[in-house]
Structure formats: structure tokens, C-alpha cells
Amino acid sequence: MVRSGGTRSNTRDMYSRPYRGHGMPSLSTYLTNFKVGDYVEIITNSAVQQGMPFKFYHGKTGRIFNISRGAVGVEVNKVVRNKKLAKRIHVRIEHVKKSRCTEELKTRVRSRDAMRREAREKGEKLVLPKRQPASMTKPAIVVAGDNIELLEPVKYEFIC
């Protein structure tokens, strides 16, 4: 018999609910405010079958392009052979949550604006520090002390 490949095939772990997370979604899911241009993560909630995205989009991050009463339109990039296609899908609110991918950028912009404001008030020119990649640990020479302990594997003994 041929192995079937329906729309929800191979989703046993993908759509499984977490421990003590079964049942219908909480009210906070429905009360979150979305705006056009927000980044959202498509996380399918298997308790709600209506408006469920296709399994490929589970875990993908996209940008909202449309908002309706109970759903949002999300634009997601999909790699097909050698090109990236911008796919537009409509997903119900239960299957979407706000992404935190721009948090670090927003905090950096706020701190930079505050630094600019302070420099403008003082009347001096601001030289913004550039972000540096995380450096390696400093090289050091390890000096062995007097109490060196040699570790050897225990010899195998056959016990009858």
C-alpha cells in the first residue's frame, strides 16, 4: 500500500500540544493587538482546526500585510529551488504570535537616540561605538603545580 501524504502527514510531533497546554487557547491569544508591518511567528495550534496554515509554514517568521476580524495576512519567504518567493497566506490569530526578532534592534536604537539627545544638549559631536563581534578568550600559559594527578582507566577484570 502506498504511503499517503495528506495535508497533515508527518505532523505527529509538530502539532502535539505541550504538557499541561491542552485545550482551547487562552483569552490573551485573542486580545493581542497586531499592526501591519509587525513580525509574527506562525506556530500552529492544533486545538483550532479552522484557519490552520499548511505544515511548511509552522515555525516560520513573517510580516503582517493584512488584518481582518479573526485572521491576519502574513507574508513569508519560501525558498523554491534557487529563488526566494514571497508567499502571502491568511492565518487565524490562534496560530500566530508576536515575534521577538526585532527587540534587540529596537533597544539599540533607543539607547543610540538617547546618546544623541545627550550629546546635542551638551553641544558636542557624538561618535557612535560600532558593534564588535564577540572576541575569543585571552591566550594564557598554564603552569602546572606540584600536585599533578595522573588519571588512568581501570583495568578490565573478568569476574565469574
Side-chain angles (χ1 to χ4, degrees):
M1 189 169 162
V2 180
R3 192 166 164 272
S4 64
T7 54
R8 288 184 67 164
S9 65
N10 306 324
T11 58
R12 180 180 188 164
D13 295 327
M14 188 188 299
Y15 287 172
S16 64
R17 304 290 291 135
Y19 176 64
R20 296 178 68 181
H22 296 272
M24 297 309 285
S26 61
L27 279 177
S28 61
T29 307
Y30 298 100
L31 296 174
T32 46
N33 291 324
F34 295 105
K35 291 183 240 168
V36 174
D38 283 353
Y39 284 97
V40 290
E41 293 170 2
I42 300 172
I43 309 275
T44 306
N45 187 345
S46 58
V48 182
Q49 285 83 32
Q50 296 90 357
M52 188 182 277
F54 185 65
K55 64 187 174 186
F56 167 82
Y57 300 104
H58 179 80
K60 300 281 189 272
T61 303
R63 204 169 198 175
I64 292 180
F65 72 91
N66 184 25
I67 299 172
S68 62
R69 188 173 54 83
V72 291
V74 184
E75 192 171 86
V76 185
N77 287 336
K78 182 176 183 178
V79 178
V80 179
R81 293 193 181 155
N82 59 349
K83 47 188 184 280
K84 286 183 184 176
L85 301 176
K87 304 286 277 189
R88 289 184 153 200
I89 59 170
H90 280 84
V91 182
R92 271 180 63 147
I93 290 172
E94 295 94 336
H95 309 295
V96 159
K97 72 175 191 178
K98 282 198 172 183
S99 179
R100 299 178 61 192
C101 64
T102 55
E103 272 186 6
E104 193 264 334
L105 171 73
K106 288 178 180 177
T107 54
R108 213 167 4 103
V109 168
R110 280 192 208 105
S111 65
R112 193 175 56 208
D113 289 344
M115 289 167 60
R116 278 194 182 127
R117 221 174 291 115
E118 291 172 13
R120 195 178 302 129
E121 289 171 2
K122 292 178 184 174
E124 56 191 41
K125 189 176 180 183
L126 176 67
V127 179
L128 290 171
K130 299 286 183 187
R131 288 185 298 159
Q132 297 296 324
S135 61
M136 299 187 313
T137 55
K138 301 275 183 187
I141 298 172
V142 179
V143 180
D146 295 336
N147 53 354
I148 298 175
E149 186 177 342
L150 182 64
L151 297 175
E152 293 179 349
V154 179
K155 188 177 178 183
Y156 177 75
E157 296 176 12
F158 186 73
I159 301 170
C160 283

